[in-house]
């Protein structure tokens, strides 16, 4: 069990798995990060599933969501055609 997870934002899978874990997730954005990864990282921060590591380090951000990322129900509905 981790108290927190720090993950680079250059892997959507890694970010998704971290946001699904039962620990606050903090995103580090390398300078060379491609635009599509910025969009995904922004969506995770806006959803409250993650926080920018830089903001957290400056005391400006925390992970807001107490509910972790879990798309299982939505995926099941899509498969069932609902």
């Amino acid at each position: 069990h981790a108290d927190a997870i720090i993950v680079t934002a250059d892997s959507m899978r890694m970010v998704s798995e971290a946001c699904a874990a039962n620990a606050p997730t903090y995103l580090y954005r390398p300078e060379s990060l491609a635009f599509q990864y910025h969009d995904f990282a922004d969506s995770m921060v806006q959803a409250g599933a993650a926080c920018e590591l830089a903001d957290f380090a400056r005391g400006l951000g925390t992970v807001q969501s107490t509910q972790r990322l879990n798309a299982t129900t939505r995926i099941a509905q899509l498969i069932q055609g609902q």
Side-chain angles (χ1 to χ4, degrees):
H1 172 77
D3 292 331
I5 300 170
I6 299 173
V7 63
T8 58
D10 58 354
S11 168
M12 291 182 193
R13 174 181 275 184
M14 192 165 43
V15 170
S16 297
E17 289 179 6
C19 289
N22 195 20
T25 300
Y26 299 96
L27 301 178
Y28 169 72
R29 297 189 196 213
E31 289 182 23
S32 61
L33 192 63
F35 73 92
Q36 66 267 30
Y37 296 110
H38 281 288
D39 290 346
F40 182 71
D42 289 344
S43 71
M44 293 295 100
V45 171
Q46 290 169 359
C51 176
E52 299 287 349
L53 181 60
D55 290 345
F56 177 73
R58 292 192 301 263
L60 301 175
T62 60
V63 177
Q64 301 166 9
S65 178
T66 56
Q67 198 170 32
R68 305 311 301 155
L69 182 64
N70 184 349
T72 304
T73 302
R74 178 71 181 130
I75 292 169
Q77 290 171 342
L78 290 171
I79 290 170
Q80 294 172 355
Q82 297 180 356

